[in-house]
């Protein structure tokens, strides 16, 4: 169906930057949305940013002005550019894709997760 492969996590100092990548692959699918979620210790998984097939993006209030979600034109590769990072950005970040296949909507795939740690 759809496979998502993430890369780019690691350790960064507060105020620094990281760029995550997520590459989607599959056949007989149409990707409708891609995005990023994160889960910090003791917290529920939360939305970070999404981008639709039409190019509309959405951001959590906590990351507005600091993060962006660039994507290729086909929206099969999505990035999370994280600038001015804060210790509270420390979490496991998951790529997400919502797609249609054979005329059926609302399928959902997740990447394997990548750790981002921001030191103070």
């Amino acid at each position: 169906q759809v496979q998502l492969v993430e890369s780019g996590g690691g350790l960064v100092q507060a105020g620094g930057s990281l760029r995550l990548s997520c590459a989607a692959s599959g056949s007989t699918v149409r990707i409708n949305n891609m995005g990023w979620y994160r889960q910090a210790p003791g917290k529920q998984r939360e939305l970070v940013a999404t981008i639709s097939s039409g190019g509309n993006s959405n951001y959590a209030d906590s990351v507005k002005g600091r993060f962006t979600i660039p994507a290729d034109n086909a929206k099969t590769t999505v990035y999370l550019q994280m600038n001015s990072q804060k210790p509270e950005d420390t979490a496991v970040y998951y790529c997400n894709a919502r797609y249609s296949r054979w005329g059926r909507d609302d399928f959902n795939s997740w990447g394997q997760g990548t750790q981002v740690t921001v030191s103070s």
Side-chain angles (χ1 to χ4, degrees):
Q1 294 180 350
V2 171
Q3 293 183 341
L4 303 176
V5 179
E6 302 179 27
S7 63
L11 175 66
V12 65
Q13 294 180 349
S17 298
L18 281 176
R19 183 178 175 91
L20 306 182
S21 299
C22 177
S25 62
S27 61
T28 322
V29 301
R30 176 171 58 86
I31 296 175
N32 301 315
N33 294 275
M34 294 189 70
W36 294 93
Y37 293 72
R38 68 186 182 187
Q39 188 165 21
K43 301 290 186 180
Q44 290 187 314
R45 190 172 299 185
E46 64 177 354
L47 170 71
V48 178
T50 61
I51 186 166
S52 71
S53 60
N56 263 350
S57 59
N58 182 50
Y59 299 92
D61 288 341
S62 60
V63 306
K64 284 182 179 178
R66 300 189 297 118
F67 292 9
T68 59
I69 184 169
D72 66 7
N73 198 41
K75 307 299 187 293
T76 55
T77 302
V78 67
Y79 307 89
L80 186 65
Q81 180 65 48
M82 302 181 289
N83 300 323
S84 302
Q85 289 201 265
K86 303 175 180 180
E88 51 262 44
D89 295 326
T90 296
V92 178
Y93 285 70
Y94 297 90
C95 182
N96 173 259
R98 297 175 182 175
Y99 63 96
S100 303
R101 190 181 185 212
W102 297 333
R104 302 292 299 272
D105 292 333
D106 299 323
F107 292 93
N108 200 329
S109 290
W110 292 91
Q112 78 277 14
T114 185
Q115 176 71 47
V116 172
T117 302
V118 183
S119 62
S120 60

